[in-house]
Amino acid sequence: MLLNVLKGKIHRARVVQAELDYVGSITVDAELARAAGILEYEKVQVVDIDNGNRFETYVIAGEPGSGMICVNGAAAHCVEPGHKVIIMCYAQMTPEEFADPDNAPRVVFVDDDNRIARVTRYEKHGRLEDMQ
């Protein structure tokens, strides 16, 4: 049996741009994506915490260190520049893989410029453990 579980997320990133005239995707600073374990072209779920909208799309790597979070295509109707979003990716794992602490989800917290402020892993019961 495989479980669909949280692999990583970027928490409360600020949307820098929303571009309607673009093939659907979300452009994410490659440094942020890498820290969260998100791969280019991987499907992600995006939650706008300012208006509650949720949608799925895929990631395009943005310039590393740019702080870019740009929602593209039709999904640009779901957000506005300045809104905060949570970007989550998932993986399929066996229950044994899921139980391995090394597979705990990565959480990337960012500052107001979408620079990495802290990277953690979830522990049991939702607690966070800083990564070294």
Side-chain angles (χ1 to χ4, degrees):
M1 174 174 69
L2 292 176
L3 307 171
N4 196 33
V5 298
L6 181 66
K7 179 177 86 169
K9 74 178 180 177
I10 300 170
H11 194 70
R12 299 179 59 91
R14 183 179 53 82
V15 175
V16 176
Q17 291 177 280
E19 299 288 337
L20 285 171
D21 297 323
Y22 196 90
V23 174
S25 63
I26 185 169
T27 304
V28 177
D29 175 322
E31 195 174 299
L32 294 177
R34 186 173 29 258
I38 299 172
L39 305 173
E40 187 165 28
Y41 307 116
E42 183 170 13
K43 181 171 92 172
V44 292
Q45 182 180 45
V46 181
V47 178
D48 183 323
I49 63 172
D50 290 301
N51 65 21
N53 286 336
R54 293 174 171 258
F55 58 93
E56 290 181 341
T57 190
Y58 62 93
V59 171
I60 293 177
E63 185 70 31
S66 67
M68 178 55 69
I69 301 291
C70 179
V71 179
N72 306 304
H77 287 291
C78 298
V79 301
E80 292 183 28
H83 279 198
K84 298 281 186 157
V85 294
I86 299 170
I87 303 167
M88 298 168 282
C89 64
Y90 299 87
Q92 291 188 333
M93 296 182 198
T94 65
E96 295 77 23
E97 290 171 323
F98 179 66
D100 183 341
D102 289 337
N103 289 330
R106 294 182 190 184
V107 182
V108 177
F109 292 91
V110 296
D111 63 18
D112 288 337
D113 296 316
N114 292 337
R115 304 286 188 259
I116 297 172
R118 183 172 153 214
V119 179
T120 65
R121 285 201 182 267
Y122 273 109
E123 293 181 330
K124 289 186 178 191
H125 310 296
R127 285 182 277 186
L128 299 171
E129 174 185 296
D130 285 333
M131 294 180 69
Q132 304 304 339

